[in-house]
């Protein structure tokens, strides 16, 4: 998350929470780290945090399969 340029191409970073001011602060920090604002995906309220925590297991499996921790995902939608 701190160095998004380590992974080439487009990918997202996610935020969620019940405090909009806190999410805005985190998003501003992410922009300072180099994340383009359009690549910061707000998943909504705090209930989304549970899914984000579960993503860690999948990310670790990707890392194991690919032999690197320098990876991320990109979200696409139709249309």
């Amino acid at each position: 998350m701190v160095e998004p340029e380590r992974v080439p191409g487009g990918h997202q970073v996610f935020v969620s929470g019940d405090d909009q001011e806190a999410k805005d602060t985190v998003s501003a920090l992410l922009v300072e780290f180099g994340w383009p604002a359009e690549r910061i995906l707000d998943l909504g309220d705090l209930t989304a945090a549970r899914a984000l925590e579960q993503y860690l297991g999948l990310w670790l499996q990707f890392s194991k399969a690919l032999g690197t921790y320098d990876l991320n995902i990109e979200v696409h939608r139709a249309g």
Side-chain angles (χ1 to χ4, degrees):
M1 290 186 290
V2 178
E3 297 179 61
E5 69 277 356
R6 287 178 62 171
V7 178
H11 40 89
Q12 273 78 29
V13 65
F14 310 107
V15 297
S16 67
D18 291 336
D19 183 332
Q20 187 60 50
E21 185 176 338
K23 289 195 296 185
D24 292 344
T25 298
V26 169
S27 295
L29 286 169
L30 289 167
V31 168
E32 287 183 31
F33 290 155
W35 284 95
E38 64 274 9
R39 292 292 182 170
I40 301 169
L41 185 56
D42 185 342
L43 296 180
D45 67 15
L46 191 59
T47 59
R50 180 75 169 144
L52 290 173
E53 290 169 356
Q54 294 174 2
Y55 171 65
L56 175 62
L58 179 60
W59 183 83
L60 289 171
Q61 288 304 121
F62 285 146
S63 297
K64 183 178 176 181
L66 298 172
T68 182
Y69 293 110
D70 290 343
L71 61 99
N72 206 341
I73 63 169
E74 183 173 14
V75 177
H76 292 269
R77 61 178 154 193

